[in-house]
Structures are given as C-alpha cells and as structure tokens.
Amino acid sequence: MKRIVKFLIVGLISMTTMAQALTERQKALAACAALEAQGDLVRLETAVTNALDKGVTINELKESFSQLYAYTGFPRSLNALGVLQKVIAKPKKEWKEGKPFERPALWNNASEALKVGTETQTKLSGKPFNYEFCPQDDYYLKAHLFGDIFAGNQLTPADREIVTVAALSGLKGVEPQLAAHKRGAVNMGNSQQLVDELCAWLDKEGYSLKSDFEKGASNVNYAKYFVGESYLNPLTPANLSKGEKSLMPMSNVTFEPGCRNNWHVHHGARQILIGVSGKGWYQEWGKPAIPMTAGTVIEIPEGVKHWHGAASDSWFQHIATHVKTGGPESNEWLEPVSDKQYNEAQGLKN
C-alpha cells in the first residue's frame, strides 16, 4: 500500500512539473534581468514598470538586481537598482512592497555559508563542483554566491535560475555558463518545458540579441518577401547635414531566429552584406550556403539569385548596401525559401 501511495505522489509531482508554463510574472522577471545584463536602462525602466504591474514585488526586483551583480558586475546591478528607485518614486497603489527584507543568519557564519553554498551548488550542478585551479573563485562561488546570496528570502531557487538564465542570455561570450544554468534551472525546480519556453520567449522578444546596433522598426514594407519577422534600421552617416542624402545608403537589417528573405535578384547594382551580430546564412542558387557571423562580408554580383537570413537558433543582423553597376536599379523578388531548402542549407534534417 505504501508503495502505491508513494507511486501516486511521485506521479502527481511529475504531472505538476510537466504542466508548468511560463507565467507573465516570470516573463516580467526575465525581461528585467536581460535588460539589466545589457545595461539598457531606457528599456529597463519600462520593463520594471511592467513587472510591478504584473505582480512582481519591489523587494523581489531588489533581490534580482542584487543577485545579478555576481553575473553582470556591480555597476550594472547598481544602475538597475537606480532605475527601480526612480520608477517607485511615483508609485501606483497596486504595486506591492513584498515580504520584508530579513538579514540572513547565514551572513554571520562563514563556515556555515560555505557548507550550505556547497550543497546548493551541488544540487544546481547535478554533481559536486570543485574548482581547484583557482581556490579563490571556488570559495567565492560556494560561500558567497550559492551561500550568502542564495540565502535571501525574496526569490525561490527556481525563480533565481530564471533570472540568471535570462541575464546570461543577454550577454556575449558566456555560452558555457548559460548552458550550465539552463540545466541548473531544471535542477532547482523548473520543468524542462518551462526552461525551453523561457529561452524561446527570450529569443522571440529579442532579449538574446547581442548587438550595439538598434533593431529598428518592423520591416512592414517588405514583410511579404520574408518568412518570419525582420526589422529595418536605416543608417545615417554622422557627418551628413539634415536632408542630405548618402552616396551609399546603408541599412541594418535584423532577422529573428528562423527568418529569411525570399530568393531574389538585384538588377543594376551589386549588393554588399556585412554581418554585425548573431548567426546567419547566405546562399546563391545551386551553391552551398555560407555561414555569416559578425565580420563576414559577402559581395553579391548583379543578376545572381540568392537569399540571406538568420540561423534557426539565433538572431542575426547584417548591414546591407548597394553599389550601382549602371542601368535602372530594381529587386526581382521570387519564391520563398522552403523549409526543406532552409534546413538543408544549415545541415539540418527535414
């Protein structure tokens, strides 16, 4: 009988975990974390306001931004707290302060913080982790990050990992840490389904776009020639006077993951593409696709049938310009790049 009851309890817990779905509150926390990591204080102000509207408490945001100093540095953590302070200076009655802050007793016991932090790190990692190469960092991780910081009473371990995954998704050069925390997010109480949904949502909303170039406005005038969403940001040389036209107009084009333009041909001009962020692809008709990343330059001869766009798992940006070759300039838009063609270009199975 005990076995049956235990089986039913485990089954109910498993069903509950599988049924997890990303809530509006969790999305709001994730948005604030990603923008804190990117140092985008203008958008962060709007995100903080939205988070408070969605039920995230003031003290939960304080805890989130405080925790992130361990991942993004004190300057961005303090700047984000400054944005929060600015927003709540004009409070709404529905905003909640949340649970009162309580100074963790663990802060008064360094040896206990090391012990508890080691246990927390082991749970998050799924196995013991000892960084013998650098004992300093090993101690900081165990005693301070997973001990002192995780001892705060405002966020659950599951929420802490949502915040961390979102922040790391917005940073460059932290892929190993992001992968580790995606696994850790599951170990700390989130379902794999929820973590996958979180990462897909961060991609869809552009929080994982790591770039110094503005995304621009929705590319509505050319939307019918694209599969997926694209955005257009015309670039104006800084030395031009108002109303003066550039000799070589350029635009930064942003593709969401999976977005690509139709097959097309340029007449009267060669096109030049310069990759600036993310991962993308360029392909000429009858030839293998060429991967594009930041710094990749593609020169497309006049009259060549081709397409370009983002990889299926990454945002992509490139600068596009045209060099006149004589005669009238035009774009000849052709058929969409099929899913089969797109997947084959990336070496994916259909």
Side-chain angles (χ1 to χ4, degrees), residues 22-302:
L22 200 63
T23 66
E24 291 302 312
R25 173 186 170 277
Q26 290 167 328
K27 290 178 183 177
L29 269 175
C32 289
L35 294 171
E36 185 273 358
Q38 294 171 357
D40 190 337
L41 303 185
V42 174
R43 291 172 66 199
L44 181 59
E45 186 171 337
T46 301
V48 165
T49 302
N50 178 65
L52 295 171
D53 289 342
K54 297 294 184 183
V56 179
T57 70
I58 293 170
N59 285 340
E60 286 173 338
L61 285 174
K62 286 182 182 180
E63 184 76 19
S64 297
F65 295 149
S66 298
Q67 171 183 315
L68 287 179
Y69 103 80
Y71 298 95
T72 66
F74 260 127
R76 293 198 171 183
S77 173
L78 291 170
N79 288 344
L81 287 166
V83 169
L84 173 61
Q85 199 167 8
K86 176 184 176 182
V87 170
I88 63 175
K90 297 180 180 179
K92 295 181 183 178
K93 62 180 181 180
E94 61 267 28
W95 290 353
K96 298 176 182 177
E97 187 78 19
K99 291 185 295 185
F101 169 76
E102 295 179 6
R103 190 180 191 278
L106 200 64
W107 290 5
N108 300 320
N109 191 330
S111 61
E112 187 66 15
L114 178 59
K115 176 186 174 184
V116 172
T118 300
E119 293 170 353
T120 301
Q121 185 191 44
T122 300
K123 180 180 178 182
L124 191 149
S125 301
K127 59 183 179 180
F129 178 86
N130 295 301
Y131 196 42
E132 296 176 355
F133 175 73
C134 184
Q136 302 96 311
D137 268 18
D138 189 60
Y139 178 80
Y140 301 153
L141 285 168
K142 290 180 169 69
H144 184 50
L145 174 54
F146 296 115
D148 292 337
I149 293 178
F150 268 56
N153 69 329
Q154 299 298 324
L155 297 174
T156 66
D159 278 344
R160 286 187 184 280
E161 284 307 293
I162 286 176
V163 167
T164 303
V165 168
L168 293 175
S169 293
L171 293 176
K172 297 178 182 178
V174 294
E175 287 75 15
Q177 289 75 22
L178 175 58
H181 278 281
K182 285 180 181 180
R183 296 189 297 270
V186 176
N187 294 337
M188 300 307 280
N190 297 294
S191 69
Q192 185 63 59
Q193 173 191 349
L194 185 139
V195 175
D196 291 343
E197 185 181 345
L198 170 65
C199 294
W201 180 80
L202 289 166
D203 279 344
K204 183 176 184 298
E205 297 300 317
Y207 293 116
S208 58
L209 173 61
K210 306 169 183 69
S211 174
D212 293 327
F213 284 81
E214 291 290 336
K215 188 170 72 171
S218 180
N219 195 7
V220 291
N221 291 334
Y222 292 88
K224 61 184 177 181
Y225 304 124
F226 282 71
V227 174
E229 288 290 327
S230 66
Y231 304 84
L232 189 64
N233 178 25
L235 303 177
T236 303
N239 62 322
L240 290 189
S241 303
K242 187 175 181 180
E244 189 179 356
K245 291 185 177 180
S246 173
L247 295 174
M248 188 182 290
M250 294 181 288
S251 291
N252 181 56
V253 185
T254 301
F255 303 79
E256 70 173 0
C259 176
R260 65 273 189 184
N261 49 32
N262 292 3
W263 291 101
H264 59 286
V265 176
H266 300 294
H267 298 289
R270 301 194 311 273
Q271 186 178 43
I272 297 174
L273 306 176
I274 304 171
V276 294
S277 69
K279 297 184 297 182
W281 293 93
Y282 165 79
Q283 185 175 29
E284 295 180 6
W285 186 262
K287 294 183 180 181
I290 298 172
M292 293 191 69
T293 55
T296 303
V297 179
I298 300 287
E299 183 168 350
I300 307 164
E302 178 187 5

